[in-house]
Amino acid sequence: MSMPSDLDISRSTTLKPLEEIAGQLGIGPHLLEPYGRNVAKISLSALDEHADAAPARYVVVSAITPTPLGEGKTTTTVGLGQALRHLGKRSVVAIRQPSMGPTFGIKGGAAGGGYSQVVPMEALNLHLTGDMHAVTAAHNLLAAMVDNHLHKGNTLGLDPHRITWRRVLDVNDRELRNIVSGLGAKADGSPRQAGFDITAASEVMAVLALSTSLHDMRARLGRIVVGYTKSGTPVTAEELHAAGAMTVILREAIKPNLMQTAENTPVLVHAGPFGNIAHGNSSIVADQIGSKCADYLVTEAGFGADMGAERFFNIKCRNSGMAPDAAVLVGTVRALKAHSGRYRVVAGKPLPPELLEENPDDVLAGAPNLRKQIENIKVHGVTPVVAINAFPTDYPSEHAAIRQVAEEAGARVAVSNHFTEGGKGALDLAEAVVAAAEETNQFHYLYPDTADLRSKIETIATKVYGADGVSFQPAAAKAIADYEANGFGRLPVCIAKTHLSLSSDPALTGAPTGWTLPVREVRASVGAGFVYPICGDMRTMPGLGSAPAAERIDIDEHGQVVGLS
């Protein structure tokens, strides 16, 4: 019998009152700000009320290098959170808020799936409490003040050709990637080349995710660099007198959102930074609250362990001061077969029929990627647990092949059926995570703050990606020199590259060797607090496909949403 759709499962869930969900965390009704019946914001005062509580075990969920379809990190995160409750642990899940760009594009929503999802999924995937729109408004207010400053005399001496602050929109729209703004009469502005990014790629979003308090967010917004003078001096949002108003727009958005899973496990949904240009993790304040209100806090890091988990360790944990107790590495049979190099998986298209045939040899051929990603967890001193996210098309022999590889690499392993069975299907995974989290680990950052930017980039490239070295194009080398001269050298680095390969080339599967990481450009997100080298062609404004999900989404005769996945 086929499973109901994710939307049908969401609607069949018996939701508990949010006061009861919050009560599981010891959070009283006075700390909740309801947004409708099924979502509430949590006041940051919860941090003060629980300041003396012992911290939860902190578990990050990452993955092997995914196919374009994704390998089920959110579903695994939710399933694990549910399973821990079956073991008698007070657990809470912390995830990012989905962008509506991918929701209406190819990927669809990001609420998890099956019987391990956040509900109601319509609320999560569509607007939620308006945090995305607040980020959009704050970002675009700063953009408007940049252009107004140019129009009103430019007393700060901003070079129009060195303005780095674009506009944002939470929609996939390739037509807006590169535009000319300010056309028309003189009163209509100063013409210049500009463009739009998707809201998830906004530095304001990264600031929201990495702030530790309202006042910390205010200070970070002030440090945002919008461009440079002709002499190379950075111009900030503070100098434009924009940071205060931006903070006011975001003063509600900094409060985490409370929801629940299909099994009524508490979920904190907050922030949604891009996984390529930014660090791809949910907010620090959500983790701070969750850590003080549960036995286990399970959070998710975007893309593979070479990206989201590396940034979780070296950027998010560096900012929060929190240390992980264990890391889950999600792997699938289909992804490892794809890493054999024998199959091509394309988003929006059916899997190749031959990939679904029993073939443990193909799994073993793709195993170098799993081995490297286990190594990428261990190099940070964290205990890894491999979660085999089971699909109905898998075979026991293929799961056995993954188990063999993972155990030989020094990781615990568990097959998880959380998609079809909910928390009960992830009990083995939960037991493995509890055992891993109880071990004493040696968590450490990959590089010190004091290392220069080149060394930080080279360390990640060689130790995490497996590159032989790094080549810096002249523009990148000059930018690094300028950033260090401006005092940005102590910032961590967030390397922007493809998520479809350990390398910078999405066509290279497995664990490529004998290659050099090409850094063509380096930019600074000074407010967020990192420098990001760009390796390859990074799209910060996605486009829609030939058959976007938006074509299938509608309302029925009862006013209910249909077609959302």
Side-chain angles (χ1 to χ4, degrees):
M1 185 177 68
S2 62
M3 276 188 61
S5 70
D6 290 350
L7 191 54
D8 288 339
I9 291 172
S10 175
R11 287 185 179 150
S12 68
T13 298
T14 301
L15 297 173
K16 290 187 177 179
L18 281 177
E19 290 83 359
E20 185 175 339
I21 300 298
Q24 296 178 32
L25 301 175
I27 294 175
H30 64 290
L31 295 172
L32 298 182
E33 300 173 8
Y35 277 68
R37 296 178 180 175
N38 303 312
V39 184
K41 281 196 168 290
I42 300 176
S43 169
L44 297 191
S45 298
L47 288 170
D48 297 325
E49 289 199 10
H50 293 81
D52 297 329
R57 297 290 192 183
Y58 195 22
V59 181
V60 60
V61 179
S62 188
I64 65 174
T65 302
T67 68
L69 306 177
E71 306 317 311
K73 284 194 309 299
T74 306
T75 308
T76 303
T77 301
V78 173
L80 173 58
Q82 295 179 155
L84 286 165
R85 298 190 75 80
H86 284 277
L87 295 181
K89 311 292 185 182
R90 290 188 310 142
S91 63
V92 60
V93 171
I95 62 171
R96 287 180 293 171
Q97 179 180 342
S99 163
M100 287 198 297
T103 296
F104 289 111
I106 292 178
K107 182 183 177 186
Y115 291 96
S116 292
Q117 61 170 297
V118 182
V119 293
M121 67 172 296
E122 305 102 306
L124 179 61
N125 288 310
L126 303 172
H127 303 291
L128 198 57
T129 57
D131 293 349
M132 284 279 184
H133 304 312
V135 169
T136 301
H139 182 115
N140 290 338
L141 171 64
L142 179 55
M145 292 182 75
V146 168
D147 284 320
N148 186 61
H149 185 80
L150 291 177
H151 186 66
K152 296 295 184 179
N154 194 14
T155 57
L156 293 173
L158 256 175
D159 183 350
H161 300 290
R162 299 190 66 183
I163 292 173
T164 55
W165 198 252
R166 292 154 58 90
R167 285 170 168 78
V168 297
L169 191 67
D170 194 30
V171 173
N172 288 5
D173 192 346
R174 64 173 57 83
E175 296 294 321
L176 295 178
R177 288 173 182 164
N178 295 286
I179 65 170
V180 175
S181 63
L183 296 177
K186 184 177 180 180
D188 296 327
S190 305
R192 65 180 183 89
Q193 185 172 345
F196 279 76
D197 299 325
I198 196 164
T199 297
S202 166
E203 184 179 348
V204 176
M205 179 64 81
V207 165
L208 177 66
L210 290 170
S211 296
T212 57
S213 68
L214 179 64
H215 293 290
D216 179 43
M217 182 175 70
R218 169 63 180 81
R220 288 173 180 270
L221 291 171
R223 292 196 294 267
I224 288 174
V225 173
V226 300
Y228 298 84
T229 65
K230 290 184 178 180
S231 63
T233 302
V235 176
T236 66
E238 195 67 64
E239 291 175 293
L240 288 167
H241 307 294
M246 294 170 71
T247 305
V248 170
I249 292 173
L250 295 166
R251 65 189 300 269
E252 296 299 317
I254 197 173
K255 302 172 184 176
N257 305 295
L258 177 66
M259 298 186 72
Q260 59 190 291
T261 74
E263 294 183 5
N264 312 118
T265 299
V267 181
L268 301 174
V269 183
H270 200 213
F274 220 44
N276 278 344
I277 296 297
H279 62 294
N281 281 257
S282 58
S283 78
I284 285 176
V285 291
D287 285 5
Q288 288 173 328
I289 291 173
S291 178
K292 292 294 187 176
C293 297
D295 301 325
Y296 279 80
L297 167 61
V298 184
T299 191
E300 175 193 355
F303 296 137
D306 56 308
M307 299 192 72
E310 183 273 312
R311 296 162 184 177
F312 171 84
F313 297 138
N314 294 299
I315 298 178
K316 185 176 182 181
C317 291
R318 196 184 297 261
N319 278 270
S320 69
M322 299 170 66
D325 295 289
V328 174
L329 197 65
V330 179
T332 61
V333 167
R334 73 183 185 189
L336 287 175
K337 285 184 175 180
H339 279 294
S340 71
R342 298 166 186 168
Y343 306 97
R344 185 166 178 260
V345 178
V346 179
K349 294 186 178 180
L351 291 170
E354 58 272 20
L355 183 144
L356 302 178
E357 297 173 0
E358 184 175 10
N359 196 333
D361 289 340
D362 278 355
V363 174
L364 293 173
N369 187 271
L370 174 60
R371 293 190 189 97
K372 187 68 180 78
Q373 298 289 30
I374 291 173
E375 178 186 315
N376 288 339
I377 299 295
K378 295 174 73 175
V379 77
H380 291 91
V382 180
T383 304
V385 177
V386 172
I388 303 174
N389 183 17
F391 283 70
T393 52
D394 297 349
Y395 292 87
S397 63
E398 296 170 335
H399 289 170
I402 298 176
R403 181 179 295 276
Q404 173 191 335
V405 171
E407 289 180 344
E408 288 175 352
R412 289 179 170 84
V413 193
V415 177
S416 190
N417 293 287
H418 48 273
F419 184 88
T420 54
E421 300 175 26
K424 290 181 179 179
L427 283 174
D428 288 347
L429 174 60
E431 289 172 351
V433 167
V434 169
E438 289 177 351
E439 289 184 356
T440 300
N441 68 37
Q442 302 294 326
F443 171 65
H444 57 269
Y445 308 130
L446 201 58
Y447 50 80
D449 290 338
T450 53
D452 60 69
L453 293 175
R454 278 179 177 260
S455 296
K456 291 171 182 174
I457 297 166
E458 289 165 351
T459 297
I460 295 173
T462 56
K463 290 190 176 181
V464 177
Y465 304 160
D468 287 349
V470 180
S471 64
F472 295 90
Q473 292 189 11
K478 182 180 185 307
I480 288 173
D482 289 345
Y483 293 151
E484 291 182 336
N486 282 315
F488 307 154
R490 291 182 62 88
L491 297 178
V493 295
C494 181
I495 298 178
K497 73 172 187 70
T498 179
H499 62 286
L500 298 174
S501 173
L502 278 162
S503 75
S504 57
D505 181 351
L508 295 182
T509 56
T513 58
W515 61 280
T516 299
L517 182 72
V519 178
R520 65 174 177 83
E521 186 180 354
V522 181
R523 300 178 187 173
S525 290
V526 182
F530 55 76
V531 170
Y532 61 102
I534 299 177
C535 310
D537 186 16
M538 293 292 102
R539 293 293 188 190
T540 54
M541 171 54 86
L544 294 173
S546 56
E551 294 180 355
R552 304 184 294 275
I553 297 172
D554 206 333
I555 56 172
D556 63 17
E557 63 274 17
H558 305 294
Q560 296 271 24
V561 175
V562 295
L564 189 63
S565 61

